Amino acid sequence: AEVYTAHDGSTLFVGVLVRDEFIDTGSANPFQNDAVELFIDGDRAAGDYPRFGPGNNEGFQLAVDAAGRKFTNATTFANAAWAGVARRSAGGYVVEFAIPFSLIDTQDGPGFT
């Protein structure tokens, strides 16, 4: 895979080019398909994302599968809070994320930065 990042004053953009000869999108659950998953740890402190549990604004998981289905693992926001798209490309697929900085809490513990 190749990963590209950019940002403006309000949004983090992540693009991923995945090379894959066989693409599986048969499950309704994006994280069970060929997908790109991002784990964001805004405060860079342990304990925000419990094993197999939902995250929060300090640490969360986002995914988009090759069919464009989104998945959010966070208790504080849902799929509608961020943008994610996918499209097939020669030899694989491309996934793009647009994540508002307002979702990423960089302060550990109570409060939001």
Side-chain angles (χ1 to χ4, degrees):
E2 294 178 37
V3 179
Y4 301 89
T5 61
H7 67 86
D8 63 15
S10 63
T11 307
L12 170 65
F13 301 98
V14 179
V16 182
L17 169 61
V18 179
R19 291 184 178 82
D20 192 345
E21 294 179 14
F22 175 78
I23 299 173
D24 183 5
T25 58
S27 174
N29 297 315
F31 58 89
Q32 293 178 329
N33 295 326
D34 284 335
V36 174
E37 298 178 65
L38 298 180
F39 292 84
I40 307 290
D41 184 8
D43 67 357
R44 300 177 65 181
D48 303 320
Y49 187 84
R51 184 178 174 138
F52 304 115
N56 58 46
N57 291 84
E58 294 177 16
F60 55 87
Q61 173 189 8
L62 306 177
V64 176
D65 72 8
R69 291 180 288 241
K70 295 169 40 176
F71 172 77
T72 300
N73 195 355
T75 57
T76 48
F77 61 92
N79 286 346
W82 57 280
V85 296
R87 67 175 171 78
R88 297 283 177 104
S89 66
Y93 60 98
V94 175
V95 173
E96 297 177 84
F97 296 83
I99 306 161
F101 286 132
S102 62
L103 296 180
I104 304 171
D105 183 4
T106 59
Q107 177 178 321
D108 187 33
F112 194 100
T113 302

